Amino acid sequence: MRSKRGVWRLLALLTVFSLILAACGGDDGDETGGGEETETTTEDQKSGGTVILAAEQEPESLNWLTSAHNTAWGSYIMGWVWPGAWYADPKGEKVQNKDLVTSVELTSEDPQTVVYKINKDAVWSDGTPITADDFKYYWEAQNGKNEAYQPAGTTGYEDIESVEGSDNGKTVTVKFAKKFADWDALFDFLLPAHAFAKAGGGDPIKGFNEGFVTETVDLANAVSGGPFKVTDFKRGQSMTLEKNEKYWGKPAFLDKIIIPFITDATQQPAALENKEADVAFPQAQIDLVQQVKAIQGITSEIGFGTFWEHLDFNFENQHLGVKEVRQAVGKAIDRQEIVKRLPGQFSDEAKVLDNRIFKPGQDAYKANGAKEYGKRDVAGAKKLLEQAGYAAGPDGIYAKGGNKLTLRITWRDPNPRRQQTAQLLQAQLKEAGIDAQLAPQPSFAFLDEGNFDIALFGWTGGTVLSSNTSIYETDGGQNHAGHSNKQVDELFAKANVEFDQDEREDMMNQIDTLLWADLPTLPLFQVPELLAYRDTIQGPKYNGFQGPTWNAHQWSLK
Amino acid sequence: MLPFIIRRLLVSIPLLAVSSFLVFVLVANSGDPLEDLRLNPRVSARVVELREQELNLDKPVIVRYGIWVKDIVRGDMGTDNAGVPVRPQLTRALGVTMRLVIVSLMIAVGLAILVGVISAVRQYSIFDYSSTFASFLFFSLPVFWLAALLKEFGAIRINRLFDRQLVYTIGQESVDFQGGFLARLGDIAGHTVLPATTLILISFAQYSRYTRSSMLDVLQSDYVRTARAKGLAGRRVLTRHALRNALIPLATVVALDFGAVIGGAVVTERVFNWRGMGTLLIQGVQRFDVNVVQAWLLVTATVVVIFNLIADIAYAYLDPRIRLG
């Protein structure tokens, strides 16, 4: 019959086609990826080329410094369009942006005065010179004095009394009303004051809050003071950065960086494999990491950044208010095991975090917690409980005065990583006679309300040491544990006005040591991050402090 | 006909009002849009307070709903929680979804009718069995898994085979496209092929089953037997009489489906990074963004109402009367 022959013909074609496909899949031995990593100096790097960087967030505004639009990717993308006086290297050390500021000096400690000298050749991409006016605008927008501005943060800028220009605006003198020891962390970016005023229809405040909202932005206003400028922004799709021809400093190597917004991180590996992205910095999940590792021609790096997980003990809880009980909890927990099971799945280099202020890799890092809490000590935990007057009941759980040692572990749901952590903690604590209950909450309100016994959440660290104050000082806004130690308070007060960096770091470590003794909180581990990039690109390197684009001006094609 | 249409449209106005109120209350009560801001140690309480005032979070839900109604009747969709106007976001998302959905539905329906009719006419043949198998297979496949498979075999391997970028996995068009009109068309096709295929396979599976079973029903009916007895050619019976009636259930399903699918094929959009209505809704819900979700609801509800109406009208139009052939 006619139809039967047709069917067989079709089947034959399909078989042939699938055989072809099968032959093409499988081992690709002719991939040329995987050559030796050669250390080249920047002189050997080639100019030109385009790199596609997959962004996990689409910025709602080019100005990410507002409270409404403060996203990490906003700073990653605009970091080299509006660079400032410094940026952080992978070790968290501040690198001066010598193209922009030829010198930065603390000329007087009392009254605190800092003088910046702007490069004489520094101009915005529309030809307007970069001057103290831009520094002044940056300060005014973030000092919190004018309520109309909506900055994401005011730390440091609120302590500045005045920002004056001289020498044709090329010298900036910043006078502080209150001493601020992290002065060198200020002016990390710089906004073009005149362009912002224009974007706000003449109103610099409107320009700051709304002028660069990407839905309505006029890119002509996005003048650049760095090696790249924004040339295109397609909402819902991508944006493009191109080499800024008007940049007076060392030019970038790449001609173009295209940034598609791939907001679902799980789709980024396929994009990398299909050459629709060359560099990606997705939130690390174990399947994603394994997928990326399997792609030929892509190098992946796991780094441990500034976001770290920890436990906070509520001092209002009748048990946790007692120091021995907190110490017992600390000893009963096996942090090594937790690290092995969670961040350890991503990398063998995952470590227990033994310092609340500094991170491993930073020169100032001291593993202050390693001595007492480095290794699990169930026997020691039990002893401490007994010292505090607790006695083990028939079910193995300790109790005192008829009150069983039952503690709730609370985290914000849904969060698979924290749920796993809590489950591990529960099992570990049980072995030491502590009954832990899992009590997740749907929002973070439990922190402010004090509705928790043991809180499991995270902080983002950084280079501004004074921002630790509100977490650990008496009645601090972020001191959810409710801990109070006069010595800690005094040390903070001293450290926050101490200009000698080494002295300051020393004081911070003293604070950390005191906190390990009191144990209001227990650091667990740093959250792993993934940076993936094509082998044909030279330069990308993980930087937990500044993000994946920290050295985008030094990226080049091999 | 006209009074019927007018009556239906009038009834849908209170329907829209009630649903918009319910959704508003639901979204407004599901969470705090400023939660992240409150948690951020660097943001002062005063800033949070000001943002609250901007978003009307300090007012009771009824008042907020009233404000929204007042704005919407003037055509103002408001701004989302980040201060970005909603209307352009909605227009863009709608455009993206329509582009995908219209193409996919057209192909899915065409394919389904073809396959369904042949299956019914050649019931229990190899073709029938294989198309039934295929339908059930595609119908049961989870969308994200199908999409992942398509990305691997439909894009990555094909591109490797031809050593050129033919098929894309992300987005609606190439980011930095340079080239003429035809080349651009090819680029858009390369981007649309995978998400469209995903939607087509799944819709086609559904529609071909409907077509087949309704065609089978019709082919057994008296009037078809009569037409054949009267000596009409087989093909004429099929196309002029049987098919038209068999399409009635399908027309109803497709019309209703269109309303549902314009709300965004959420998983497909997410997997292929097409920022359409589905993505807009998900983001709106995740951020507890009332204005966004309300705008989405208005569009979707209106489309559902209109297409329900169209389905009813089509049904009335297709009502079987044998025309003397």
Side-chain angles (χ1 to χ4, degrees), chain B residues 9-23:
Chain B
L9 287 176
L10 282 178
V11 162
S12 35
I13 294 176
L15 182 75
L16 278 177
V18 170
S19 52
S20 73
F21 179 70
L22 285 175
V23 169

Side-chain angles (χ1 to χ4, degrees), chain B residues 41-234:
Chain B
R42 284 179 275 275
V43 173
S44 69
R46 182 71 186 130
V47 169
V48 175
E49 209 184 305
L50 287 170
R51 296 272 308 138
E52 263 183 15
Q53 284 171 5
E54 259 180 34
L55 296 177
N56 291 331
L57 292 177
D58 48 348
K59 302 192 174 72
V61 176
I62 300 278
V63 175
R64 289 172 64 192
Y65 181 68
I67 296 174
W68 179 78
V69 171
K70 197 160 60 89
D71 287 337
I72 204 71
V73 294
R74 283 183 299 126
D76 179 10
M77 291 185 175
T79 59
D80 66 11
N81 286 345
V84 180
V86 171
R87 181 185 286 268
Q89 296 185 58
L90 185 72
T91 320
R92 196 177 38 245
L94 194 58
V96 168
T97 295
M98 296 260 271
R99 195 159 131 178
L100 181 61
V101 154
I102 290 180
V103 163
S104 311
L105 270 188
M106 280 187 347
I107 298 178
V109 170
L111 210 60
I113 293 178
L114 198 66
V115 169
V117 166
I118 298 179
S119 273
V121 166
R122 298 258 180 270
Q123 199 182 11
Y124 304 134
S125 63
I126 294 181
F127 182 87
D128 185 24
Y129 283 128
S130 7
S131 71
T132 304
F133 176 73
S135 296
F136 281 120
L137 182 69
F138 293 130
F139 199 61
S140 355
L141 284 180
V143 175
F144 55 86
W145 191 70
L146 177 63
L149 263 180
L150 279 175
K151 281 194 183 188
E152 176 65 30
F153 293 98
I156 293 171
R157 303 222 175 173
I158 292 207
N159 290 339
R160 225 183 268 161
L161 176 66
F162 292 99
D163 201 26
R164 293 176 60 168
Q165 279 285 63
L166 289 172
V167 185
Y168 299 86
T169 64
I170 296 286
Q172 301 112 265
E173 52 197 12
S174 279
V175 173
D176 198 36
F177 189 76
Q178 265 112 23
F181 178 70
L182 274 181
R184 203 182 137 86
L185 220 56
D187 182 61
I188 293 179
H191 277 92
T192 314
V193 94
L194 288 190
T197 307
T198 311
L199 281 181
I200 288 169
L201 285 177
I202 295 170
S203 312
F204 146 83
Q206 205 186 357
Y207 299 153
S208 68
R209 300 312 298 162
Y210 276 115
T211 315
R212 179 182 179 277
S213 61
S214 101
M215 195 68 190
L216 282 174
D217 262 347
V218 163
L219 288 175
Q220 313 287 359
S221 55
D222 285 346
Y223 64 85
V224 168
R225 200 153 13 104
T226 309
R228 281 209 181 112
K230 286 168 108 186
L232 290 174

Side-chain angles (χ1 to χ4, degrees), chain A residues 28 69 147 150 261 276 412, chain B residues 35 46 54 82 169 273:
Chain A
D28 279 287
H69 309 127
E147 252 180 24
Q150 295 170 359
F261 306 121
E276 288 174 82
R412 194 233 197 204
Chain B
E35 184 181 82
R46 182 71 186 130
E54 259 180 34
T169 64
N273 206 54

